Amino acid sequence: MVLLKDVLFASFRKNPRKYLRGKFLDSLRLSVKGGHGGNGLPKYGGVGGQGGAVYFVAKEGKSLTDVVCKHSSKRIVAGNGEESSKDRILGRRGLDQRVEVPVGIRVFEDDGTLIDELNEADKSCLAAGGGSGGCSGNSFIGKTGQSRTLRLDLKLIADIGLVGFPNAGKSTLVKALSNASPKIASYPFTTIRPQLGTIEYEDYRQITIADLPGLIEGAHANFGMGHTFLKHVERTRLLLIIVDVFGFQLSQSHRKRNCLENIYALNKELELYDRTLLEKSCILLVNKMDREGAVEEICKYDKYFNDLQDGLKYCPEELIPNQLLNIDQVIPISAKSRIEVNKVKQAVRQTLDEKALQQLREDENDSERHDELRARINERGPKVV
Ligand SMILES: Nc1nc2c(ncn2[C@@H]2O[C@H](COP(=O)(O)OP(=O)(O)O)[C@@H](O)[C@H]2O)c(=O)[nH]1
Ligand SMILES: [Mg+2]
């Protein structure tokens, strides 16, 4: 019998594939449950099968939207263990559920406790264990599986995070530098999801870059898309800050900001999101230098790019940050010129290589220091290996 209620619900229920198409998800709550252990058979000392477990497995090319499309109820339950029977004394283990998630996922419990990070392809984590099968130790009664609600949080893993206000030329640059094909238009907010591109070099070295859209002045107060995508900057090793040499005006009701003010505004937004982001190395790109009058415009401000402290005298009070960006290099460019884009390509590689070398030296020093310490302890007391 078909109830009216079912008909109504069916018509209201959205098709998850359809309504999620094109939507970028970077956080998802799921409830997971391990399978119930099968009961044992006391008469024959039979042991019930262990309940199946739920695992998250990181896979390249997967998105959280794929997870929702596959498990639209957002409840994932593994199979129950088989009961022990006369024909099969040892019950079979329940079927495991392996949920494929994107690389870069962090798994949290509902109370915010971090369970695991899946930063490499094929890495897996146990989301919910199965209940043990019934045996003599538990009166032959199978146990229930673990049940909990987990939050999956995605942070893209890219070497470089590209940060700038709308229309600065982020998408144009990512497209010119890499194999990504972001949308480009002369109106703000063309990119509403982060774009990942890979920069390839002749010696096959690859560097990934993330175009992080939607940042506007006042994002900390949740204007525009707020800081939605800034969390993806946390895991990058280098910040590329890009500004339009002619500045930016969000709308008629907003003040027009020149390019120096834009740098302070970006600085402020990064600081308000997470102060530690300002400790990252950063390269400043002043874009659209091919446009008429660009050279005159940049000459007004360029001495302050390398000395942001001095430029603060021109910074409107509401934009003054407490801590200034750590600018390594300033490159005036035109994202439309191949030669200049190539300069950026070489500069980012050089900076990243230098950072990697520095890290290596620090690690070596650390290990030398450990060796020294170990030797000194061994001289005094029991041997430490
Ligand atoms: N003249 C000139 N226009 C540019 C340059 N870079 C980007 N643009 C234009 O600026 C507009 C915004 O670029 P887009 O890459 O979509 O900016 P986004 O919002 O930061 O991603 C587009 O019309 C681009 O064609 C440049 O170097 N020179
Ligand atoms: Mg864009």
Side-chain angles (χ1 to χ4, degrees):
M1 191 174 69
V2 181
L3 297 174
L4 179 62
K5 181 181 85 175
D6 295 338
V7 177
L8 281 175
F9 269 126
S11 59
F12 284 131
R13 208 180 295 136
K14 289 178 190 162
N15 173 353
R17 271 172 208 282
K18 218 169 174 184
Y19 99 92
L20 283 170
R21 196 174 295 146
K23 195 168 168 175
F24 178 79
L25 284 181
D26 54 9
S27 181
L28 180 66
R29 271 179 96 227
L30 286 174
S31 78
V32 285
K33 188 174 182 333
H36 202 292
N39 288 333
L41 194 61
K43 194 167 164 194
Y44 299 106
V47 180
Q50 162 100 12
V54 181
Y55 294 96
F56 293 135
V57 191
K59 289 277 173 216
E60 294 285 1
K62 284 278 160 194
S63 69
L64 284 180
T65 316
D66 295 337
V67 179
V68 181
C69 288
K70 196 158 176 210
H71 306 274
S72 49
S73 64
K74 298 194 190 162
R75 184 173 158 75
I76 298 164
V77 185
N80 293 335
E82 191 187 31
E83 310 253 308
S84 163
S85 68
K86 220 164 47 183
D87 303 329
R88 190 180 287 278
I89 292 290
L90 297 177
R92 268 185 292 222
R93 193 188 145 90
L95 273 184
D96 288 340
Q97 278 269 15
R98 298 178 73 79
V99 184
E100 294 187 347
V101 297
V103 179
I105 279 289
R106 297 207 289 173
V107 185
F108 290 94
E109 269 198 270
D110 232 9
D111 62 2
T113 320
L114 177 68
I115 296 180
D116 211 342
E117 292 190 52
L118 305 179
N119 287 338
E120 286 156 40
D122 296 324
K123 202 180 163 207
S124 66
C125 95
L126 177 69
S132 51
C135 60
S136 55
N138 57 17
S139 321
F140 295 94
I141 297 169
K143 292 264 179 295
T144 51
Q146 190 181 13
S147 171
R148 53 185 175 172
T149 305
L150 298 176
R151 184 165 57 82
L152 302 182
D153 191 47
L154 174 67
K155 279 190 190 162
L156 299 176
I157 304 174
D159 300 308
I160 306 168
L162 183 59
V163 182
F165 289 133
N167 236 23
K170 297 183 293 301
S171 303
T172 311
L173 183 71
V174 168
K175 193 174 159 95
L177 276 174
S178 75
N179 53 2
S181 47
K183 280 188 205 153
I184 296 165
S186 56
Y187 51 90
F189 310 120
T190 24
T191 322
I192 48 153
R193 58 163 73 196
Q195 289 276 353
L196 266 193
T198 310
I199 312 176
E200 283 169 2
Y201 293 83
E202 276 145 23
D203 57 356
Y204 302 109
R205 166 86 191 272
Q206 293 190 332
I207 290 177
T208 47
I209 179 166
D211 172 3
L212 302 165
L215 192 64
I216 56 169
E217 189 185 326
H220 66 275
N222 239 353
F223 281 113
M225 286 196 276
H227 284 158
T228 322
F229 295 127
L230 271 190
K231 70 173 183 179
H232 298 294
V233 180
E234 285 172 36
R235 287 188 183 178
T236 59
R237 289 185 290 149
L238 173 68
L239 290 182
L240 266 188
I241 304 276
I242 182 166
V243 289
D244 183 330
V245 63
F246 290 102
F248 174 64
Q249 184 170 22
L250 185 61
S251 74
Q252 290 305 329
S253 56
H254 288 79
R255 273 197 55 189
K256 166 134 183 127
R257 303 282 190 200
N258 64 41
C259 65
L260 184 63
E261 288 172 336
N262 268 341
I263 297 167
Y264 289 120
L266 286 166
N267 190 154
K268 180 101 187 166
E269 289 302 332
L270 289 170
E271 175 180 274
L272 287 168
Y273 175 73
D274 176 1
R275 214 186 166 122
T276 60
L277 293 183
L278 300 176
E279 275 147 31
K280 289 185 189 281
S281 307
C282 104
I283 295 180
L284 171 66
L285 305 177
V286 186
N287 193 25
K288 307 200 186 177
M289 288 306 296
D290 57 305
R291 285 182 57 195
E292 218 184 300
V295 177
E296 290 79 358
E297 187 69 14
I298 198 171
C299 283
K300 291 190 212 160
Y301 312 106
D302 62 351
K303 61 175 175 290
Y304 302 114
F305 295 157
N306 283 313
D307 188 358
L308 289 177
Q309 188 66 39
D310 191 27
L312 278 176
K313 55 187 178 236
Y314 299 110
C315 178
E317 199 163 340
E318 68 277 15
L319 298 183
I320 295 178
N322 290 319
Q323 190 179 332
L324 292 166
L325 280 165
N326 183 8
I327 296 180
D328 278 351
Q329 205 177 342
V330 183
I331 316 180
I333 60 158
S334 162
K336 293 195 166 174
S337 141
R338 223 168 44 134
I339 299 172
E340 287 174 27
V341 169
N342 229 355
K343 265 197 247 165
V344 180
K345 192 169 161 177
Q346 299 316 325
V348 292
R349 174 167 184 169
Q350 200 183 344
T351 312
L352 285 174
D353 286 352
E354 275 166 17
K355 274 178 70 73
L357 203 66
Q358 195 183 337
Q359 185 68 45
L360 204 70
R361 284 207 197 105
E362 278 169 21
D363 290 350
E364 270 171 14
N365 280 346
D366 272 357
S367 86
E368 269 169 32
R369 232 175 290 141
H370 274 136
D371 288 346
E372 224 174 273
L373 208 64
R374 217 176 286 146
R376 246 190 279 161
I377 295 171
N378 283 340
E379 270 169 28
R380 283 189 209 154
K383 212 163 174 57
V384 177
V385 195

